[in-house]
Amino acid sequence: SQQGQAQLNRLMGNPNGGDKDEQSEILHSASTVLNTVALCAHYTSELQKQVDMEADEIIAADAELNSGEASLRQIRMLKSCCDTMVESRSMFQRSLEVGLSKFASSTRSSIHNQIDKTIGSSNTSFEMDEHDFQRTEAVDPYVRPLLALIASSIATMNPELSTVISLLMCDRIAEFTADALEAAYVRKRFTLYGALLLDKDVRRIVAFFSKRSPTTKDRFRRLMQLTEILGVDSLEEVYDVYDAQKSVNEKSELQSKSSGNRYKIKVVDPKEVKRVLALRVDFSQKDIQAIKL
């Protein structure tokens, strides 16, 4: 495990350079570590459930036949065994989380650089009219190269990873892609046409990830809400949009709690709505501040 972690660090340190054979060997070894840890976590959990169930049956049967000190020692040993398995499962899960973060981060810098030099560039403007919208949409200078880069990164990893790890890895990449896109977009100003282009681009990116992992849409929930708010035709429309988003957020939170999902979905809060609307060049600050959510 320590050797695999060291190899992950080496991959992070020079993800795009160095000898290709060495990179391939590191990728294979790191992938093997992640796959193995995931299997250990899964089977430890299954074994713990089975032992726990059988222990309860043994304890119940033993209680009817023997209540002596020897029986109590056996009960304590069984329970101790189950507790140890729970600790082992938690350890494997923590190791997997760390490994996934480090492995996914090998693509983070290249994705951030791509976003910074296109969408985040000072030469990129979303203060556009209908003609600018149509021209930019036809050329597609932002989304197509970004998705090509992400697809290449995922394709490089996937042959080495199990299906479960591939899905988890895709979620990680989706999360920091969404964060990087938001960081780039909130530095811009928008007309209605610029907001429409943003909405179209984000939908394409979400569709790209959703084909690879059904849970990645949650990683883009906040960004999708930002673009929806930014794309309103008038400030009066904000009330309906935000109320609908709030309802969806509440339902998602209940579903996450009932399913035991530990991932906290990032959403837009009322204070942020006004900051997002302030990015529109055609909305006045006075009218924005008058909104009561």
Side-chain angles (χ1 to χ4, degrees):
S1 178
Q2 291 178 347
Q3 181 183 5
Q5 191 66 64
Q7 289 167 329
L8 279 172
N9 291 334
R10 288 169 61 196
L11 182 62
M12 286 173 55
N14 191 19
N16 299 315
D19 183 82
K20 289 186 177 181
D21 290 337
E22 182 182 4
Q23 290 290 321
S24 178
E25 182 182 348
I26 292 171
L27 178 63
H28 173 74
S29 183
S31 301
T32 301
V33 171
L34 288 176
N35 292 337
T36 303
V37 172
L39 284 174
C40 288
H42 172 73
Y43 285 118
T44 300
S45 177
E46 293 300 308
L47 181 60
Q48 182 264 324
K49 292 176 184 177
Q50 185 65 30
V51 172
D52 205 19
M53 181 176 65
E54 293 184 6
D56 288 338
E57 293 175 357
I58 293 172
I59 290 169
D62 191 71
E64 298 178 2
L65 300 174
N66 185 5
S67 59
E69 184 63 27
S71 177
L72 292 175
R73 283 199 300 270
Q74 291 176 346
I75 291 172
R76 285 195 292 267
M77 288 175 64
L78 285 170
K79 287 299 182 183
S80 176
C81 179
C82 291
D83 291 342
T84 301
M85 287 183 181
V86 171
E87 293 173 5
S88 297
R89 181 189 61 190
S90 298
M91 180 193 68
F92 285 130
Q93 289 287 2
R94 289 194 300 270
S95 298
L96 182 60
E97 290 292 321
V98 172
L100 284 168
S101 296
K102 288 186 175 294
F103 201 26
S105 68
S106 65
T107 66
R108 185 193 297 266
S109 60
S110 58
I111 292 173
H112 277 223
N113 289 340
Q114 180 64 34
I115 292 172
D116 287 343
K117 72 181 184 182
T118 53
I119 298 167
S121 170
S122 59
N123 296 323
T124 300
S125 174
F126 288 88
E127 297 181 45
M128 55 180 62
D129 56 20
E130 184 177 3
H131 173 72
D132 295 328
F133 172 83
Q134 292 174 344
R135 180 174 54 82
T136 306
E137 185 182 31
V139 176
D140 192 15
Y142 314 134
V143 176
R144 183 168 53 189
L146 174 62
L147 295 185
L149 173 65
I150 296 172
S152 176
S153 299
I154 292 175
T156 301
M157 295 178 178
N158 274 0
E160 302 287 343
L161 297 173
S162 68
T163 301
V164 172
I165 296 298
S166 293
L167 293 175
L168 291 173
M169 190 66 66
C170 194
D171 282 356
R172 295 302 177 92
I173 295 174
E175 185 170 10
F176 62 68
T177 298
D179 290 343
L181 286 169
E182 180 184 337
Y185 284 131
V186 296
R187 299 197 300 266
K188 302 295 181 179
R189 300 295 304 282
F190 295 82
T191 60
L192 176 58
Y193 282 106
L196 290 175
L197 180 66
L198 170 61
D199 181 73
K200 183 176 182 295
D201 287 348
V202 169
R203 288 179 186 277
R204 284 178 59 200
I205 294 169
V206 173
F208 168 87
F209 276 101
S210 296
K211 289 179 181 178
R212 289 157 175 81
S213 173
T215 57
T216 52
K217 193 171 184 178
D218 287 341
R219 270 60 178 175
F220 288 96
R221 174 77 60 80
R222 176 180 165 83
L223 183 59
M224 292 171 67
Q225 291 182 348
L226 290 173
T227 59
E228 191 175 15
I229 292 167
L230 195 60
V232 296
D233 291 323
S234 66
L235 290 177
E236 288 74 20
E237 190 181 338
V238 171
Y239 295 101
D240 291 336
V241 170
Y242 184 72
D243 285 344
Q245 290 181 353
K246 186 178 179 181
S247 176
V248 170
N249 295 340
E250 290 172 351
K251 289 179 181 177
S252 295
E253 187 174 356
L254 288 174
Q255 290 174 353
S256 295
K257 288 181 179 179
S258 62
S259 64
N261 184 8
R262 294 178 297 171
Y263 176 74
K264 183 175 177 59
I265 299 174
K266 300 173 185 176
V267 296
V268 179
D269 63 41
K271 293 181 180 178
E272 291 176 309
V273 171
K274 294 184 179 182
R275 289 201 291 268
V276 173
L277 292 171
L279 300 177
R280 282 282 293 272
V281 297
D282 50 330
F283 293 156
S284 73
Q285 283 295 326
K286 181 180 179 181
D287 291 341
I288 292 172
Q289 294 305 317
I291 293 174
K292 304 294 183 183
L293 294 174

